[in-house]
Amino acid sequence: MGEPAKTPEVIIPTLERVDRDGALLEALDAAVGRTRAEFLRRAAMGSAALLGALAAPATAAGAPPGKKRDTAILNYGLAFEYLQAGFYTEAEQLGTIREMSQEQALWARTLGAHERAHVRILKKVLGRSAVGKPSFNYRGVTEDPDHFTQTAVAMEDLTVALLLGQAPRISDRGIRAALFSLLTVEARHAAWARHIIGVRPIGPALDRPKTLQGVDRVVRSTHFIVSRPRTSRSASPRFTG
Amino acid sequence: MSKTNAAPAPASRQQATRAVFLAKGALAGGVLATGVLWLGGRTGRAAQAPSRAQDERIFNFALGLEYLQAGFYAHAVEQGALSGELLEFAKTVGEQEREHVAYLRDRLGTAAREEPELDFGDLGADADRFARAAFVLEESGVAAYIGQGANLTVEAVRAAAPIVAVEARHAAWISDLVGRVPAPRAADAAGTAAQVQAALEAAGFTYPG
Amino acid sequence: MSGSAKRQTRVRLLPALAVTLGLIVIAVVVASAVGSSPPPARATAAAAPERFTAGAVPDPVPPAFAPPRPRPLASQRGVAWYSPVRRDTLARAEPEPAAAAVGPLSTRTPEGTRNIVLVLGRAKGADAGLWIQVRLAGLSNTTGWVRRHALGGYAAVHTRLVVDLERLTATLYRDARPIFRAPVGVGRPEWPTPRGRFYIRNKLTRFANPFYGPLAFGTSARSSVLTDWPAGGFVGIHGTNRPDLLPGLVSHGCIRLRNEDVLALGRLMPVGTPLTIR
């Protein structure tokens, strides 16, 4: 006790502002469309893997309240949890977490375990309706402890914003109750992550919700979700025999 | 990061990992010690269909908690026993609880309950006691809000959800400050109003009903 | 995104409680109008706050689902990583732009599939950029360094294939444990199957060429003698229309299996699997 107080400055990193590998960030592939029309057009042209992850917001955003919309919202939630679980899991599997302090490693491992548990339950709840696991390219962020941690803060905040936006739109009260109990955990994640990077764990007095399109815009700007590489083909071999 | 003596930090990484993964269900140790289990139990008043009148009752219930929080943090800061990060917690979180009070009062309008008389005894007299009490206070708030989230009308959920997330951040912060894992579970548990009340009283708060 | 279409318009009236609340409100209004603000000391009986009965707030709605207990990650024993090549680039001997070139890395294989490399390690370059050490196609044990952004997302494989040129067997391991073994035909002495560390680069299916059987895997292993072979002279793992020759030294370098065995591999062994030929 009696340590100097943390600086009052509140840094709220956003995914758009995270410097993923600044010196090497060249122009990426054509920027994803920002308007809904462009977004839908891209989804139609994309591969099956992309469609799976991105079709959900189109349905979830437009449908009237009811089971279909609930399912679409949960599916978008599942895609998002896949993104998060993959992020923490890859960092752990690649050994990046071992480079962290004991405290930070505990944080990263715990959050990974939570997100994996979230994936499992949403998959189970959605059953056959569950969206497939997307492919991810984390572009080096899971390979550097500092980039990883900063991005984690932004991702957890985004999850909170997503759940805040969607919880009121769920018709089934039991599902809404369940989402509330996940929402608070993601908010804890976010606060813990900030504490880890040495900033005040809280932001404004009232957290801000985001629309599905808003969340999706940020997700797409990371270019973390990619199509599966085609390593199989129907073609005649020309190996040495 | 400052920690109280409430719980010893894990000695090794393995212990820490075990601690996290063996964290039992919905039980936050401090609250368990008061004999209250957050299991979303029953008080005999089954969940009712959402309605505006019920929204009001629930918001007033929440407002009561926010009054308690805002009052306690202001009181503790006044007592002058806090320093370092705990003091920062009490100041900044206290400020946010006051904003929550204003927010809920604004939404309730004339239906808002008045600020009650609160007596905190010696709960804020020293850092350790403050931290433990604040921990129970924040965890109770989270459990209460989760418990009522699905009882609200859609409009009220939209209004309440932003507060809930922030309360959870508060809870994570104070958990860290008392040496506990800020997010010990994959999902948080709901609490009934009676459980919340019991937990607060066991912690030494005079719950303003 | 409008609110619930099925909004409850009925309001459950609880007359007794409503009246009580009304009285409380009135009492508070009267008290504050009459007296000045009370001292911030212990509450007196006269100003005792009314208790909000717990029964007035309903029970929580039971959550429709709850996640299982969180679990730590399983051991990473026997796990390897691969990544698609996202940009044509040059693999270098060291993690820096001026280092000697090891060889070009193309986004496509001669078979028309996306090229992949094994991910072996990483390093921060002098410019603080991330460099990745990869195993790439070529002669034995070809490795090099590329910039991270030349690669795509990482994928894990839990399997490993070991081909033994003395015993003439192929053994598949999963999580470091053997799960499948089959006899193989390998290169004749004049066209030896190269020894070393490689990986499975692609899979070809649905072709009509009985010489290769029903299924063929492309490897990253390049024959050191068949340098003029069209399509690069890469060693494949495939079926055969001459199972009677197996096991034996029979091919131009390829690893041949009985058709039923290569089909089994097709079910058990994903592309990206590391391959050791010894």
Side-chain angles (χ1 to χ4, degrees):
Chain A
M1 299 291 270
E3 283 175 62
K6 293 223 166 29
T7 64
E9 181 199 350
V10 175
I11 304 164
I12 306 175
T14 62
L15 276 169
E16 294 101 329
R17 278 194 263 142
V18 167
D19 179 4
R20 277 187 294 281
D21 199 353
L24 304 175
L25 259 187
E26 307 154 357
L28 293 172
D29 304 329
V32 285
R34 297 280 161 135
T35 67
R36 187 174 154 82
E38 285 176 74
F39 155 73
L40 287 173
R41 180 165 52 86
R42 269 204 158 246
M45 295 190 318
S47 75
L50 264 177
L51 264 179
L54 302 180
T59 315
K67 186 164 169 123
K68 189 163 176 220
R69 185 165 92 175
D70 283 3
T71 301
I73 291 172
L74 285 183
N75 254 326
Y76 192 79
L78 175 55
F80 201 86
E81 293 286 1
Y82 269 130
L83 174 69
Q84 284 198 288
F87 182 71
Y88 288 102
T89 301
E90 190 172 286
E92 188 167 350
Q93 290 170 325
L94 295 179
T96 309
I97 291 184
R98 262 181 269 129
E99 296 173 42
M100 300 175 177
S101 68
Q102 190 175 315
E103 191 173 21
Q104 230 182 312
L106 171 67
W107 158 75
R109 289 197 175 99
T110 307
L111 266 58
H114 287 178
E115 306 302 359
R116 287 191 294 273
H118 293 171
V119 164
R120 283 184 66 196
I121 190 59
L122 286 173
K123 248 179 88 174
K124 188 165 169 213
V125 165
L126 286 161
R128 286 244 193 85
S129 312
V131 75
K133 178 174 171 175
S135 297
F136 300 112
N137 177 5
Y138 294 110
R139 300 172 184 266
V141 179
T142 50
E143 295 162 86
D144 176 280
D146 292 331
H147 276 159
F148 171 81
T149 310
Q150 284 179 28
T151 305
V153 172
M155 264 211 295
E156 296 293 347
D157 275 341
L158 189 62
T159 318
V160 173
L162 168 67
L163 289 170
L164 284 183
Q166 297 314 302
R169 304 182 67 236
I170 293 279
S171 306
D172 183 303
R173 291 168 67 202
I175 295 182
R176 202 199 296 160
L179 286 187
F180 259 82
S181 68
L182 296 186
L183 164 69
T184 54
V185 170
E186 302 290 357
R188 287 181 190 263
H189 286 179
W192 190 1
R194 284 170 187 229
H195 214 214
I196 289 280
I197 67 175
V199 303
R200 196 196 293 158
I202 58 181
L206 293 168
D207 255 307
R208 281 184 272 274
K210 264 184 150 72
T211 62
L212 272 177
Q213 280 91 342
V215 171
D216 207 57
R217 206 176 300 134
V218 177
V219 169
R220 286 152 75 66
S221 75
T222 67
H223 299 271
F224 282 165
I225 301 182
V226 296
S227 24
R228 221 172 294 276
R230 296 249 186 91
T231 54
S232 276
R233 203 158 165 249
S234 165
S236 214
R238 295 183 297 163
F239 305 127
T240 57
Chain B
M1 202 166 354
S2 46
K3 292 201 190 306
T4 66
N5 299 326
S12 71
R13 179 193 305 163
Q14 264 179 330
Q15 273 188 353
T17 314
R18 277 176 61 76
V20 166
F21 293 113
L22 294 178
K24 302 265 185 254
L27 312 176
V31 177
L32 177 57
T34 67
V36 180
L37 302 181
W38 298 132
L39 290 176
R42 304 262 170 271
T43 55
R45 186 174 195 84
Q48 311 268 306
S51 70
R52 276 221 150 95
Q54 185 169 271
D55 283 351
E56 263 177 25
R57 289 194 289 278
I58 294 171
F59 271 31
N60 264 321
F61 167 53
L63 180 54
L65 286 171
E66 299 288 352
Y67 278 140
L68 193 59
Q69 290 175 329
F72 181 53
Y73 296 135
H75 165 82
V77 170
E78 259 174 60
Q79 296 292 97
L82 305 180
S83 65
E85 198 174 340
L86 260 190
L87 178 60
E88 198 196 337
F89 173 86
K91 279 189 181 158
T92 52
V93 171
E95 215 175 281
Q96 296 202 329
E97 309 299 13
R98 280 192 287 282
E99 280 196 54
H100 293 172
V101 164
Y103 180 81
L104 288 172
R105 285 180 65 112
D106 185 59
R107 303 216 63 109
L108 282 163
T110 51
R113 59 190 300 185
E114 286 305 311
E115 178 144 17
E117 283 296 317
L118 294 169
D119 174 15
F120 299 108
D122 57 1
L123 278 181
D126 66 68
D128 271 1
R129 246 175 301 187
F130 166 78
R132 278 196 284 267
F135 170 75
V136 175
L137 196 48
E138 294 294 345
E139 292 290 339
S140 305
V142 171
Y145 275 113
I146 293 176
Q148 298 305 318
N151 286 328
L152 296 167
T153 62
V154 172
E155 261 177 35
V157 170
R158 259 189 240 287
I163 298 185
V164 182
V166 174
E167 293 296 329
R169 291 178 194 262
H170 294 171
W173 191 2
I174 190 66
S175 294
D176 215 343
L177 294 175
V178 298
R180 293 180 189 284
V181 175
R185 297 165 295 268
D188 280 329
T192 63
Q195 288 168 332
V196 168
Q197 196 173 318
L200 292 172
E201 284 174 1
F205 288 102
T206 310
Y207 181 61
Chain C
M1 275 174 277
S2 56
S4 168
K6 296 190 182 131
R7 172 183 293 284
Q8 294 285 353
T9 49
R10 279 182 305 134
V11 173
R12 290 189 204 271
L13 289 176
L14 301 152
L17 184 59
V19 168
T20 311
L21 279 175
L23 286 175
I24 290 168
V25 168
I26 291 168
V28 168
V29 167
V30 167
S32 57
V34 165
S36 52
S37 61
R42 208 168 268 282
T44 62
E50 296 294 334
R51 290 193 76 73
F52 201 94
T53 50
V57 174
D59 283 338
V61 173
F65 56 83
R69 187 178 297 276
R71 297 200 297 240
L73 276 185
S75 141
Q76 294 295 292
R77 190 158 167 254
V79 176
W81 295 84
Y82 73 89
S83 181
V85 179
R86 225 174 119 226
R87 323 218 145 134
D88 287 346
T89 187
L90 211 53
R92 297 189 183 273
E94 306 290 333
E96 58 154 288
V102 165
L105 205 47
S106 163
T107 58
R108 303 222 78 80
T109 66
E111 294 73 47
T113 59
R114 170 69 65 167
N115 195 12
I116 60 170
V117 290
L118 287 192
V119 173
L120 301 178
R122 64 172 180 259
K124 272 247 167 94
D127 59 351
L130 195 55
W131 287 77
I132 307 298
Q133 189 184 34
V134 300
R135 185 179 306 292
L136 55 151
L139 304 175
S140 298
N141 311 329
T142 309
T143 63
W145 292 86
V146 296
R147 286 193 191 274
R148 177 65 182 85
H149 65 75
L151 302 178
Y154 293 169
V157 286
H158 296 252
T159 45
R160 167 182 289 281
L161 188 69
V162 177
V163 172
D164 192 316
L165 299 180
E166 311 292 325
R167 299 193 185 150
L168 296 174
T169 55
T171 309
L172 185 71
Y173 295 83
R174 182 188 286 144
D175 296 325
R177 282 191 290 266
I179 60 167
F180 178 80
R181 177 168 288 146
V184 294
V186 299
R188 294 159 63 127
E190 57 270 38
W191 304 303
T193 301
R195 286 183 152 87
R197 292 175 192 256
F198 309 97
Y199 57 95
I200 306 300
R201 196 153 74 137
N202 51 25
K203 185 157 92 175
L204 301 179
T205 58
R206 289 181 294 162
F207 50 82
N209 190 338
F211 178 81
Y212 288 100
L215 168 66
F217 290 99
T219 73
S220 64
R222 204 179 197 137
S223 164
S224 55
V225 296
L226 292 169
T227 47
D228 287 342
W229 197 267
F234 285 101
V235 168
I237 299 177
H238 55 78
T240 179
N241 57 355
R242 292 296 309 277
D244 54 295
L245 297 177
L246 272 46
L249 304 176
V250 297
S251 74
H252 280 79
C254 272
I255 297 160
R256 296 187 195 171
L257 289 101
R258 294 176 305 203
N259 288 345
E260 64 264 34
D261 291 333
V262 81
L263 284 172
L265 272 189
R267 289 187 297 269
L268 298 169
M269 181 176 77
V271 169
T273 296
L275 165 68
T276 301
I277 303 176
R278 51 172 177 241

